[in-house]
Amino acid sequence: MPKKECVLVLDFGGQYTHLIARRIRELGVYSEVVPYFISVNEILKFNPKGIVLSGGPKSVYDKNAPIPDRRIFELGIPILGICYGHQVIAHLLGGKVERGEKGEYGKTILKIVNHNEIFQGLNSEEVVWMSHRDQVVKLPEDFEVLASTEITPIAAFKHRKLPIYGVQFHPEVIHTRNGMKILFNFLFRICKCRGLWNPIEQIDKIVKEIRERVGNEKVLCAVSGGIDSVTTLFLLKKALGENVIAIFVNHGLLRKGDVDFVISFLKRYGVRYIYVDASERFLNKLKGVRDPELKRKIIGEEFIRIFEEVALKYGIKWLAQGTIYPDRIESGKVGTSSSVIKSHHNVGGLPREIKLKIIEPLADFYKDEVRKIAKKLGVPDEIIKRHPFPGPGFAVRIIGEVTEEKLRIVREATAIIEEELMKAGLYDKVWQAFAVVGDDKWVGIHGDERKVGYIVTIRIVESVDAMTADWVKLPYEVLEKISRRIYNEIEGVTMVTYAITPKPPATIEPQ
Ligand code: XMP
């Protein structure tokens, strides 16, 4: 969508690319992620105030290294290269990049030698987050060094006359203490942005667009009870009133109490809805399937087939769903250089042939923006504060085949975890809290009897946007209580473990 003010992020496949765009938006400037090979003509269509070149896993000298159109440097638009982006600037403009003797990973002290605009308000020494092996060893002509670290003498640079900057570290990552100041300086001092982006102000525009597209026709709105789908429903209700019919499909992989929760919510809000209990249908399709991506594809396919069947029955042509920006990212749809992490059911799992016209009003928004829109639309706290639950449900929390027994265990264990966190007043303080079960077994002793049982892993993380996450240092007493309840109350469990790996390198869900 065209915006009054926009900064483009060229995606070279870095794990933090979308964090950059999100941070820019947090600072009040609309930002969009585009593939690194975007043409200069395409770039100009956005009329961008600035361009950021993201990080990426390759080396500029690799055979298939992603290289942007070098004419971007002739546009007069301010450019900031980050990590690989910093190296690619040096490489294309006549400098030299080499593989360092040592890598530089984690927190590092940056010494600022030139307090240029981009470092305004920063100290002479700053803690920054580094993650690189290659480094710029020779500057291109007309460039100057702005900052160094012990391992990387050229850790930041600038063109002497043009607004072209590079930083080897990651200002977008929270561990770079004053990273937001650097991004602020780039946006407001160098790109001269004014800060016109406010997701709430988009509501009227979204509503208008939905009305224009759909007219007087009816729309089926897929609702799971999560914030994304409920916010989509509220937007549609605002745009189309009675012409919206919610569809809630139970795929048999939901949490304990989910069905009652969603139905009573829809009733309370006077929403017309259709409830489909398709548990058997989904579980039959998943029999014998172990591969996580295949599970997602099967579930995505079944969802769509059910939506189509219902739509056909009621003569409806439109389907709305709560896809948000990161869903597209993680499914590898945006910026083709980033690899598919997981296909989300509402995008990656979609079958090619869909007999319905799709509406995804939140497809350009990040989670924190959706939350703001939700609040403004009056979506109640019981929905906003609910932990996110993946579309494929427990299928991605059961490692290996989905069986009735594993499903029972994971469902009961998740309910215990949520209950105990609520009792301890911790539920609202964490991002997600759930159980995972796989096929591995552990020998247990029940009374005098040896019994082989399942291992349940507890996963509890804190996060702001699910792009990065850390495991929660839960008080031992709470962990102990959860563990004791799981192995005592759930038949077939002999061992409980706690997952203590952050994202990255792990993802939040096991599959
Ligand atoms: P990961 O596991 O990728 O999860 O770190 C990031 C966030 O996304 C949720 N998630 C999903 N949501 N369909 C969804 O609708 C999916 O296939 C899916 N996989 C992960 C996850 O719960 C977390 O909040």
Side-chain angles (χ1 to χ4, degrees):
M1 41 177 162
K3 291 283 170 320
K4 283 182 234 153
E5 186 177 79
C6 163
V7 167
L8 289 183
V9 179
L10 264 57
D11 178 20
F12 291 89
Q15 54 172 326
Y16 299 126
T17 303
H18 291 275
L19 198 51
I20 305 173
R22 200 179 83 70
R23 293 276 185 249
I24 294 174
R25 289 199 195 178
E26 239 177 278
L27 289 165
V29 176
Y30 181 74
S31 176
E32 210 164 294
V33 175
V34 292
Y36 71 87
F37 50 77
I38 185 170
S39 70
V40 162
N41 281 345
E42 284 296 317
I43 288 180
L44 290 175
K45 283 189 197 157
F46 286 88
N47 192 17
K49 292 284 227 181
I51 298 173
V52 178
L53 311 182
S54 84
K58 296 266 186 186
S59 168
V60 290
Y61 296 114
D62 283 350
K63 224 168 129 209
N64 298 318
I67 302 289
D69 186 332
R70 57 172 300 144
R71 283 174 301 172
I72 58 171
F73 300 110
E74 292 157 19
L75 299 174
I77 299 171
I79 292 180
L80 172 64
I82 296 177
C83 196
Y84 178 88
H86 160 89
Q87 295 162 13
V88 103
I89 295 175
H91 176 65
L92 284 177
L93 298 182
K96 200 164 176 199
V97 178
E98 270 179 8
R99 196 166 174 73
E101 260 172 46
K102 286 194 241 168
E104 197 179 22
Y105 301 96
K107 284 184 190 168
T108 314
I109 298 290
L110 180 82
K111 290 200 167 105
I112 299 176
V113 293
N114 178 339
H115 272 271
N116 176 271
E117 276 182 308
I118 194 138
F119 290 145
Q120 203 157 313
L122 270 72
N123 305 310
S124 304
E125 289 199 356
E126 286 285 347
V127 177
V128 299
W129 182 259
M130 284 283 195
S131 180
H132 69 115
R133 186 76 197 241
D134 282 6
Q135 60 167 285
V136 176
V137 293
K138 187 179 149 261
L139 285 175
E141 212 176 302
D142 270 334
F143 273 75
E144 58 188 336
V145 177
L146 299 181
S148 312
T149 70
E150 208 177 303
I151 293 182
T152 312
I154 306 177
F157 60 52
K158 159 184 199 301
H159 192 285
R160 287 185 202 278
K161 293 179 214 109
L162 303 172
I164 302 176
Y165 294 78
V167 291
Q168 180 57 69
F169 57 89
H170 290 271
E172 72 280 15
V173 170
I174 198 156
H175 309 295
T176 298
R177 208 178 36 198
N178 276 320
M180 284 300 260
K181 270 196 190 155
I182 298 173
L183 292 177
F184 176 94
N185 288 340
F186 178 68
L187 296 175
F188 295 96
R189 296 184 197 285
I190 295 160
C191 302
K192 310 282 185 230
C193 290
R194 288 188 289 153
L196 306 174
W197 171 247
N198 178 355
I200 291 172
E201 284 170 12
Q202 302 301 308
I203 294 177
D204 289 344
K205 205 163 148 236
I206 300 170
V207 166
K208 193 165 155 252
E209 276 170 14
I210 297 174
R211 278 195 196 126
E212 278 169 12
R213 269 189 82 192
V214 177
N216 284 327
E217 296 185 337
K218 286 197 166 47
V219 176
L220 208 53
C221 180
V223 171
S224 67
I227 182 170
D228 304 343
S229 63
V230 171
T231 308
T232 301
L233 175 70
F234 273 48
L235 280 167
L236 282 152
K237 287 287 285 175
K238 197 170 159 68
L240 309 171
E242 285 301 297
N243 275 347
V244 183
I245 298 150
I247 175 164
F248 171 43
V249 176
N250 175 4
H251 52 17
L253 301 156
L254 297 171
R255 285 166 294 192
K256 206 173 170 178
D258 271 353
V259 174
D260 289 346
F261 175 86
V262 177
I263 290 181
S264 76
F265 169 77
L266 293 172
K267 278 190 182 150
R268 236 177 312 128
Y269 277 77
V271 179
R272 291 171 71 187
Y273 72 89
I274 297 164
Y275 169 63
V276 183
D277 183 353
S279 316
E280 245 177 76
R281 176 166 170 176
F282 277 88
L283 297 181
N284 278 336
K285 285 267 173 184
L286 289 170
K287 275 214 174 96
V289 181
R290 303 182 53 84
D291 176 59
E293 278 302 286
L294 189 56
K295 286 190 218 170
R296 280 192 164 80
K297 292 254 150 33
I298 291 172
I299 292 168
E301 167 95 28
E302 274 323 283
F303 262 118
I304 291 295
R305 296 299 160 236
I306 291 172
F307 297 150
E308 280 175 350
E309 288 161 21
V310 172
L312 188 70
K313 192 167 151 197
Y314 292 91
I316 300 173
K317 297 192 196 86
W318 294 90
L319 172 71
Q321 50 172 10
T323 308
I324 67 169
Y325 206 20
D327 298 339
R328 293 160 58 201
I329 298 155
E330 297 202 350
S331 301
K333 289 276 155 106
V334 181
T336 45
S337 37
S338 47
S339 52
V340 175
I341 301 175
K342 291 168 185 177
S343 347
H344 280 206
H345 90 272
N346 43 8
V347 182
L350 282 188
R352 268 173 209 283
E353 292 272 312
I354 303 170
K355 297 192 194 93
L356 294 164
K357 293 185 268 187
I358 303 277
I359 310 176
E360 294 175 325
L362 296 174
D364 287 326
F365 295 92
Y366 287 110
K367 196 84 172 183
D368 54 322
E369 297 173 327
V370 173
R371 226 176 262 130
K372 285 183 191 151
I373 294 174
K375 273 203 158 79
K376 182 74 189 172
L377 290 171
V379 175
D381 267 1
E382 58 178 328
I383 300 286
I384 295 179
K385 290 192 169 167
R386 240 173 146 220
H387 289 174
F389 188 62
F394 285 131
V396 296
R397 294 180 179 172
I398 292 174
I399 300 170
E401 187 183 353
V402 175
T403 63
E404 300 255 350
E405 191 174 28
K406 281 153 86 182
L407 194 50
R408 169 183 62 80
I409 290 173
V410 85
R411 183 175 282 138
E412 289 299 324
T414 298
I416 291 174
I417 295 169
E418 290 195 346
E419 232 175 87
E420 289 305 322
L421 285 186
M422 281 184 194
K423 274 194 221 156
L426 294 170
Y427 180 87
D428 288 341
K429 299 204 164 76
V430 306
W431 174 264
Q432 272 173 311
F434 55 87
V436 173
V437 70
D439 292 318
D440 286 344
K441 301 277 180 74
W442 197 290
V443 175
I445 311 160
H446 282 221
D448 285 332
E449 214 185 319
R450 250 173 79 93
K451 252 191 178 172
V452 179
Y454 284 93
I455 302 171
V456 166
T457 299
I458 303 168
R459 179 76 160 147
I460 305 179
V461 296
E462 53 195 10
S463 175
V464 264
D465 50 19
M467 289 192 213
T468 59
D470 203 358
W471 59 282
V472 175
K473 289 27 168 215
L474 213 63
Y476 277 162
E477 314 82 71
V478 182
L479 263 180
E480 189 183 19
K481 185 131 187 252
I482 293 173
S483 160
R484 196 165 355 108
R485 283 196 58 195
I486 292 175
Y487 62 67
N488 277 334
E489 293 176 24
I490 308 175
E491 176 66 32
V493 179
T494 46
M495 170 55 73
V496 180
T497 63
Y498 192 43
I500 55 167
T501 307
K503 171 182 180 175
T507 51
I508 296 175
E509 306 285 351
Q511 297 222 310

